[in-house]
Amino acid sequence: MRIVIAGSSGLIGTACVALLRRRGHEVVRLVRRAPAAPDERRWDPPSGVIESGALDGADAVINLCGAGILDRRWNDGRKQIIRDSRLVPSEVLAGAVADAGIPVLVNGSAVGYYGDTGDRAVDEGAPPGSGFVAGLCVDWEDAAAGATASGGRLVLARSGIVLARSGGLLGRLRPLFSAMFGGRLGSGRQYMSWISLEDHVAALCSLIEDDSVSGPVNLTAPAPVTNDDFTRALATAVGRPAPWVVPGFALRAVVGGAADEMILTGQRAVPRVLTSRGFRFAHPTVDSCLPATVGG
């Protein structure tokens, strides 16, 4: 197939492009600068412009755009950047997909949609939660709704925490844990819905190739864990103790309001759609994922 990807330069996008090409698909990457390679086409989401012919012959579009949600302390300006970086590209691509009659748009979202679920397991049928992140995810998904105007599929990929050898959460935590500065965050009872990078990109590919899937899909491993359990598993994987506890007030001092929505609370999200379709996880548990990811 011919697949167009927006947001191809990030951690997930880079891995997704590589896997799609290994599977024999042609990949076109949308970039916001002058194209520097034969597979690149320029677009400018704020102005709604996509280079002429960029979507010609496309069988699918994947949208992975979005500014880092924990890269900087939240304030009103940063929240607006986070929203605009997701909603604007989603709306532009959805309209372009519908106009071009492209069969499917796989649009990014997040399990933050569910808000803080405590120890209650939730699947794709659960309602949205409350707070900035949940509201963001609702609006993010709504922004992509126009993709169905011409009868195409819209898949909403609600991602959990992606665990990769370099970059992402583990890119920040691994050096700390290796230096014995690791520890649980707050009470440690908050759940973390995670997925290995390998499984995440394989799931994205499967959502394109399986034309029976539409609507929300949780891209998470089948066994979410508490932060305390994750901390213990990561400490074991790096072969170091993790004796510390980072209290909530310290986290709030560093990242502000994001601490209460992104760190001290969480989602116990399960991938009902993926498992019901027989998706085989390479890393179904943190005990299988973390040694393979941080080792070597």
Side-chain angles (χ1 to χ4, degrees):
M1 292 189 288
R2 187 171 195 262
I3 299 168
V4 177
I5 298 186
S8 64
S9 62
L11 177 70
I12 297 170
T14 300
C16 188
V17 168
L19 179 59
L20 287 168
R21 286 177 172 158
R22 288 199 301 271
R23 291 190 176 192
H25 300 305
E26 176 190 357
V27 178
V28 174
R29 298 181 294 142
L30 296 180
V31 298
R32 305 189 192 201
R33 49 168 172 73
D39 66 339
E40 294 181 347
R41 303 292 185 275
R42 191 173 188 277
W43 76 317
D44 181 32
S47 65
V49 174
I50 301 176
E51 181 179 323
S52 178
L55 304 185
D56 288 355
D59 298 291
V61 173
I62 301 175
N63 176 24
L64 301 174
C65 292
I69 203 163
L70 278 176
D71 288 358
R72 299 180 186 176
R73 187 183 178 91
W74 286 1
N75 55 33
D76 289 344
R78 183 61 186 173
K79 285 183 176 180
Q80 193 62 51
I81 289 172
I82 290 169
R83 285 180 56 83
D84 290 346
S85 69
R86 287 163 172 78
L87 273 58
V88 173
S90 297
E91 187 172 2
V92 170
L93 281 176
V97 163
D99 290 344
I102 296 170
V104 58
L105 169 64
V106 177
N107 205 74
S109 185
V111 294
Y113 176 95
Y114 306 111
D116 179 21
T117 70
D119 62 2
R120 175 174 53 93
V122 293
D123 63 20
E124 292 85 351
S130 60
F132 169 72
V133 175
L136 165 68
C137 291
V138 170
D139 292 343
W140 192 2
E141 295 183 3
D142 286 346
T148 63
S150 62
R153 284 192 298 133
L154 172 62
V155 180
L156 301 165
R158 292 177 180 167
S159 297
I161 298 167
V162 178
L163 303 181
R165 184 177 297 272
S166 60
L169 177 68
L170 284 184
R172 298 179 181 182
L173 291 184
R174 181 180 178 180
L176 295 175
F177 275 66
S178 295
M180 294 189 291
F181 289 119
R184 78 166 194 260
L185 305 177
S187 71
R189 293 191 297 270
Q190 67 274 30
Y191 268 86
M192 300 173 63
S193 293
W194 62 275
I195 187 169
S196 71
L197 179 61
E198 178 182 352
D199 284 332
H200 192 284
V201 296
L204 282 175
C205 292
S206 75
L207 296 177
I208 293 170
E209 296 165 347
D210 183 352
D211 61 11
S212 68
V213 182
S214 62
V217 180
N218 289 342
L219 267 59
T220 61
V225 294
T226 64
N227 175 258
D228 186 53
D229 288 338
F230 180 86
T231 298
R232 294 174 188 272
L234 182 53
T236 299
V238 300
R240 297 287 191 276
W244 308 107
V245 176
V246 184
F249 72 83
L251 290 166
R252 293 185 187 97
V254 174
V255 299
D260 290 306
E261 290 200 39
M262 300 292 296
I263 300 174
L264 298 171
T265 59
Q267 300 78 36
R268 190 179 183 181
V270 293
R272 177 182 57 82
V273 173
L274 288 179
T275 55
S276 69
R277 282 163 170 75
F279 181 81
R280 299 184 66 178
F281 289 86
H283 303 292
T285 67
V286 289
D287 290 332
S288 67
C289 176
L290 289 174
T293 304
V294 304

